[in-house]
Structures are given as C-alpha cells and as structure tokens.
C-alpha cells in the first residue's frame, strides 16, 4: 500500500479502532469462545466495561505456532471491519527451533558475519512459522554478572555491542528498501535504555548513570541498531536517573526520536505502562497512559491502560489526537513493510509447517557459532584429549537437554545435542572409552523445589546423593582423564535470575572436590548464562572450557573442541571476576588519581583492595588456543595526525604451533588527557584471523578521527588534540606492544 492509502485508512478509523492498533495482547484472548474470554483474560487484564473490542487489537505477543497463527489471523480478519491484519510478535532471542549459543557467548566469538548468518536463520524459521516481529536483539551493555540477563547481552564493550546490534538487525530484517524481504521479519532492539546497569545487579533495579556513562557506553548499541534501520524499539523496565524509561520523555522523544532519528515503533516492555504507578511515577492509569503516550510509547504490551484511557484523552485534547494518528500510522507502516495488507499470512498456508526448522544448514551455523563462542580459559597441557584415552564424563550436564538457556522459549530440549551425545558421536574414531555418571544433580532438592515451575526442563536424578557420588568416583578411578561438566541451572540466570553469589552450585563443587581427591587430571566444562566466580575450583582443574549455554548443537561443538578437531578461538566479551567483591569489574575503567604503580604495588594510598587483587580472574578479550600466536614488529606510520587524515598501525602475528588456529587481534586506544577523562583503554578495532602452522601475517589497522571522539561535557561527540596511546594485543591485559601519536590541534 502507498503511504497516502495508509493515511486514508487512519482517517476512517474510529478513535477506539485507532487505540486498538496500539494494544498488544496474548493469544489466550483469541483462542477460545467469547464468553470464556470475557470472564477470563478480558476480565483479568482490566478492560473497562464496553470500553474495548478485541476486534480492534493491533498485535499479539508470543503466539509462535504456524497453525495457531494462521487460525487466529483468519478468524480475526473475518471479524475485522477494515481488514487490518494482526501483527504477531515473539521473544525469539537467539533461536526459534535451531537454538544458538546465548548472545553473551556469541559476542565472544567476535565473528559478526557469522552472527549475522545466525540471525538470518532465526528470521527464516520465524518467517516460516508466521511470526512477523522478534523482540531481538537485546543490546543492553552489562558489567555486573549478578544480573541474570547478562546472558542475553553482547557484553561489556560498546564496540562489540554495536557490532552485535548491527549484525542482528541486518540478519533478521534483510532490508530491501522499505520492505522487509521474504524469509525475513522485523527486529525489535531492547531494552531502551540501560536496563543492564541495575544497582547491585538486582533485577528491575534502579539505574543511575552519569551523562558520560550513558552516552559513551550504554546508548551506542541502541543507536547502532537504529542506524541499521531496526523497525521497533522496546522500552526498559527500569528507572533511569529517577524517571521510568517507559514514561521518560527526554529518553524517548529527545534522544530516541530526535537525536537518534528513530521513526519506527516504540513498544513498552511487558505491562511496563501499568507499572508506572508502581514506580511512583504516576497516581493512576490515566496519568500513566498520558505520560507514556506523550513520551512517544506507541504500543501498550499486555495491559488495558491505553485501551481504557487513550480514547478519552484523545477526545479531550487535539494534541493527543494528532499523536494518536501518528502512532497508528507507524503501526500500519510496519504492517505494510511486511506486506501484510497484500498477504496477511506472509506465505503461511492453512497447513503449513515450518520446513526450515533444524535443517542441516541451520544446525551447521549453530554448531560453528558454538565452536567459536566457547572459550578455553585454562589448559595445562591436557587438551585436546589424545586418542586411546579412557574418559570419565562426570557431572549433571553430562546428558542435560536443558542447556539452551533461559530465553530459548520455542526451543525443544528433545533436539539438544548433549555432551554425552557429542562424545558418543566421535569416540569410535578417537578410540576413546567413555563412561558416564552424573555424580550430582544440577541443584539441591530444596533449590529444585524453589524452581518448581521451571524445574520440569531440568533433568533430576532421583537416586540418593551418595549413590550418585559413588557411581562417579567409580568411573573416575578407572579413567585416564575426568571431564567434569558442571554449571548453574538455566533458571538461575535470565529474567528474574539475579544472584548475589554467582558461583557453581554447592552440590557440584562437593562432587568436584571428591573427584579431585583421586588425583586424576580434570577438564572442567562450565555451563552458565554469566561469568561465574570460579576461584574455589580453578586450582583443582587442569583445563577449563567455558561453554555458556551453547545451544542445540552444543554437544557436537564441545566434542570437536575436546578432541582438537576444532581449535578454540572464543575470547571473553565480559570480564570474569576473581571474587564477588570486585563486581562490577570491567576492562575500560578510569585510572583514578592514584593507580597502583608497578614499582610500589603495595602502596597504602593507591586505588586497591586490602583483601583482593584489582585484576580479574580472566580479562575482557581473553581466550586460549591449542596453538600459540607470537606477536612482533609493532609499527605506527606517523607521530601525529590531523582530523582529516589517519594513522596506520600494524603488527606481525605468527602461528608458532602445529595446529591451524584463529586469533583475535585487538586494537585499544587510550586518550591520555581529555576534559572528561577517558578509560585507560578502549577497544577500537579487532581482526579475527586464521593462521596455518608457522604462517605469519602482518595485521593492519587504521586509526580514524571517529575512533578518537567521545561524548564530552558540551554534549557533543568530538575529539580533543593531544596524545593518544595505541595498544595492539591478544586481550585487554596485553600491554607488550604499544606506541603513541599526537592528534594535532
Ligand atoms: C519480558 C522481557 C522482554 C520480553 C517481553 C515480552 O518481561 O523483559 O525482554 O521481550 O517481556 O515477553
């Protein structure tokens, strides 16, 4: 449809019909007979009597089955006066049926073209299921692993977060002009803004950020999604400096709409408009409707606030009426960009089943991404495991199908390739003898009860604890090497998953300590949705592979890494703390006026702890390989640059081992003196390269003026003349190769 036709359609809608387009409900409002709905969900959500007609609804949330979508759309259109199709939106964060590693893992692959491919797979599987919008990517920058939703985040670094945002939006939307092409759907970047910085890592906690922090670290990833033409933005639950994001006019109008020039749809998070009064931001729902709508929130997810109050507000105030027309036009424009007016089913047939789900091609993308996301943190000459070994596979994750992570809501655990299945697939070829014993459950009974609603997805072995332990000890005694696969439950992470003590469950630490007594070498594989504190086990093991929640193909990916068929290349996208007391800990910190100095490390009056090191257990950008990469020959081609030119820096990297490997070469800058102090180092570029044994390559980087700009106290992005340090290294801690240059005035 042409924009004029859309405007004509808006013009003929009643106010109630217009408001209906801004209401998002769940499928239960549409999947049974009317009186059940009246007394059920309609009553529960609080629609005022005779104030709302379901036939006016604009979109549904989390209806994800092709046949159900077809059935609801068909029945809806039969009752629709203006034949405006429903939009179907869902939380397909990192996979529909082919589940990928959690985003925090994916970002650690530093392979954004591959991430874009995974997004195309997500889009295709959603497209075939009739889903129109996915509430992905989540790009909230994170620095606090106590927060459960770090699993969904691209991590602590603005550059990686921007790359992730852009890759996901492009992969999901596959834009061709204004239309969203076939096999693609609309993306929704979230949560706007800075939901990843709750005080004390407490879920839904208040966010208090300076302008410097907000503009230089937390907002850029949302902007990257908007610059990639993301069609929707979702508000965040939290307050930002005392004002809830969902009613925050400065954030949503001044920043999002005007500064970031976002012209798409702003949707609230789940019930967030209704929560404005609970925040203490409004007295009642009518105020909430007014302030959210005036802040430019278009769609009210799953409450009756807009339905009950916007019609009267619009009738009383021509300004609101005008805003209402604009918001409804944005909804219709999205439906139009998806081609829904021409084909409300977007290719869905009555009996369509998604043929693309879990295709070999899709599974291959997931497995490769898992292989490149898993991080080798420690390896005392034990990995890869040689042929002819007797392996004891021990731990609650040995054959655990729930290793898909909290937000794999449409993934099916029956499809998960577990670690045991992975090893079974190669043990013949490797001449391995593999024995398996759980050794313990993921959680203690009491914890399992507290997760009762979710625990069904976790497998629980009813055998007595002592028996489980003895079985594990038995097979470990007979082995050459013990591979222990431990981890937090998927329900100790994700939304509502904040933990004050992000560690391995006690039950599992006890198991490891018992196995350790046997004197066998232990390879530890960690399943988690966050960096866990490993200080109580790290010295007991010879190697650590950090698997995160590796997705549907995790077992095969881990088998390939354990056997050396694939060489690990992942590098941490989020710092791993040494202890809880260090949190939040991240690489791009400020110097302070009294940093620890090498020649006096124990100076009392320095920025240090009395009872802990400042350094993390493993730093941002850290990850090992089965080969070694030697860096040499750092070069910088000029001592100074102007705003108009660039500086070239380079380094030679040689693979000095006997295995091909991938290395992520990282470029950091430090603006030595700025009127708003800059971090001691900031990632500005990186190259992921593949080198054959003994191959050497010179890796070039260009330093451009944009890399030197920051959001300053004059509220502008600008650079300042002066000295910059350049560091090229294998991780954020690598200080071996550095130079400097002057940005001329
Ligand atoms: C949830 C999450 C959000 C999700 C939405 C819809 O509470 O905060 O990320 O997209 O509700 O399920």
């Amino acid at each position: 449809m042409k924009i004029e036709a859309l405007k004509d359609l808006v013009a003929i809608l009643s106010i109630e019909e217009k408001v209906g387009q801004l209401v998002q409900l769940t499928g239960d409002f549409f999947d049974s007979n009317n009186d059940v709905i009246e007394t059920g969900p309609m009553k529960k959500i609080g629609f005022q009597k005779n104030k709302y007609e379901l036939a006016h609804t604009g979109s549904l949330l989390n209806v994800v089955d092709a046949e159900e979508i077809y059935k609801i759309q068909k029945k809806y259109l039969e009752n629709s006066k203006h034949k405006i199709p429903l939009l179907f939106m869902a939380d397909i964060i990192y996979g529909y049926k082919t589940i990928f590693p959690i985003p925090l893992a994916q970002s650690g692959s530093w392979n954004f073209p591959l991430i874009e491919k995974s997004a195309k797979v997500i889009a295709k599987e959603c497209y075939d299921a009739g889903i129109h919008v996915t509430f992905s990517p989540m790009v909230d920058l994170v620095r606090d692993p106590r927060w459960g939703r770090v699993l969904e985040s691209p991590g602590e670094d603005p550059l990686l977060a921007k790359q992730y945002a852009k890759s996901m939006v492009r992969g999901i939307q596959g834009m061709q002009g204004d239309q969203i092409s076939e096999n693609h759907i609309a993306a929704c970047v979230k949560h706007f803004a800075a939901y990843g910085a709750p005080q004390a890592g407490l879920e839904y906690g208040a966010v208090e950020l300076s302008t410097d922090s907000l503009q230089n670290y937390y907002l850029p990833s949302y902007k990257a999604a908007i610059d990639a033409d993301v069609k929707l933005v979702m508000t965040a639950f939290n307050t930002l400096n005392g004002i809830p994001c969902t009613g925050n006019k400065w954030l949503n109008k001044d920043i999002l709409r005007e500064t970031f020039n976002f012209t798409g749809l702003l949707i609230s998070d789940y019930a967030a408009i209704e929560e404005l009064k609970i925040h203490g931001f409004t007295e009642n729902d009518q105020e909430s409707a007014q302030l959210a709508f005036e802040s430019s929130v278009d769609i009210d997810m799953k409450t009756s606030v807009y339905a009950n109050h916007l019609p009267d507000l619009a009738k009383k105030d021509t300004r609101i009426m005008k805003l209402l027309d604009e918001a409804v036009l944005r909804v219709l424009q999205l439906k139009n960009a998806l081609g829904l007016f021409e084909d409300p089913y977007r290719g869905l047939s009555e009996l369509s089943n998604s043929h693309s789900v879990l295709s070999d091609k899709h599974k291959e993308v997931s497995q490769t991404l898992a292989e490149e996301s898993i991080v080798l943190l420690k390896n005392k000459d034990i990995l890869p495991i040689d042929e002819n070994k007797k392996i004891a596979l021990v731990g609650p994750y040995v054959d655990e199908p729930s290793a898909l992570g909290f937000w794999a809501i449409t993934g099916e655990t029956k499809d998960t390739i577990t670690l045991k299945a992975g090893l079974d697939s190669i043990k013949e070829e490797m001449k391995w003898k593999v024995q398996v014993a759980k050794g313990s459950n993921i959680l203690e009974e009491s914890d399992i009860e507290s997760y009762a609603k979710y625990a069904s997805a976790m497998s629980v072995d009813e055998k007595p604890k002592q028996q489980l332990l003895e079985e594990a000890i038995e097979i470990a005694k007979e082995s050459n090497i013990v591979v222990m696969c431990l981890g937090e439950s998927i329900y100790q992470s994700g939304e509502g998953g904040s933990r004050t003590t992000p560690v391995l469950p006690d039950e599992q630490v006890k198991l490891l300590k018992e196995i350790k007594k046997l004197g066998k070498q232990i390879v530890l594989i960690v399943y988690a949705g966050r960096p866990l504190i490993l200080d109580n086990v790290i010295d007991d093991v010879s190697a650590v592979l950090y698997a995160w929640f590796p997705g549907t193909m995790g077992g095969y990916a881990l088998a390939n890494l354990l056997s050396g068929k694939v060489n690990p290349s992942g590098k941490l996208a989020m710092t791993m703390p040494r202890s809880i007391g260090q949190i939040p800990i991240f690489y791009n910190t400020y110097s302070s006026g009294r940093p620890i100095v090498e020649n006096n490390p124990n100076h009392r009056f320095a920025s240090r702890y009395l009872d802990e090191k400042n350094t993390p257990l493993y730093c941002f950008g850290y990850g090992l390989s089965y080969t070694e990469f030697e860096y040499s020959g750092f070069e910088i081609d000029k001592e100074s640059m102007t705003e108009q030119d660039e500086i070239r820096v380079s380094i030679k990297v040689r693979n000095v081992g006997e295995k091909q490997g991938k290395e992520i070469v990282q470029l950091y800058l430090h603006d030595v003196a700025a009127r708003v102090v800059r971090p001691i180092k900031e990632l500005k570029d990186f190259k992921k390269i593949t080198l054959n044994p003994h191959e050497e390559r010179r890796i070039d980087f260009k330093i451009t003026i944009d890399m030197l700009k920051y959001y300053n106290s004059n509220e502008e992005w600008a650079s300042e003349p002066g000295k910059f340090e350049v560091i090229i290294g294998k991780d954020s801690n690598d200080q071996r190769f550095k130079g400097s240059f002057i940005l001329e005035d």
Side-chain angles (χ1 to χ4, degrees), residues 670-687:
H670 172 213
D671 185 342
V672 171
R675 292 297 170 266
V676 177
V677 296
R678 311 306 309 132
I680 54 175
K681 62 180 81 80
E682 293 178 273
L683 180 71
K684 291 295 181 183
D685 200 352
F686 62 88
K687 297 262 170 69

Side-chain angles (χ1 to χ4, degrees), residues 62-88:
N62 283 340
V63 178
V64 293
D65 172 74
E67 287 186 33
E68 191 181 358
I69 288 173
Y70 186 90
K71 194 176 71 179
I72 290 175
Q73 185 74 288
K74 192 161 183 290
K75 186 176 170 193
Y76 175 87
L77 286 172
E78 283 160 5
N79 300 323
S80 165
K81 179 178 168 192
H82 302 286
K83 305 300 174 202
I84 302 174
L86 278 168
L87 268 177
F88 287 86

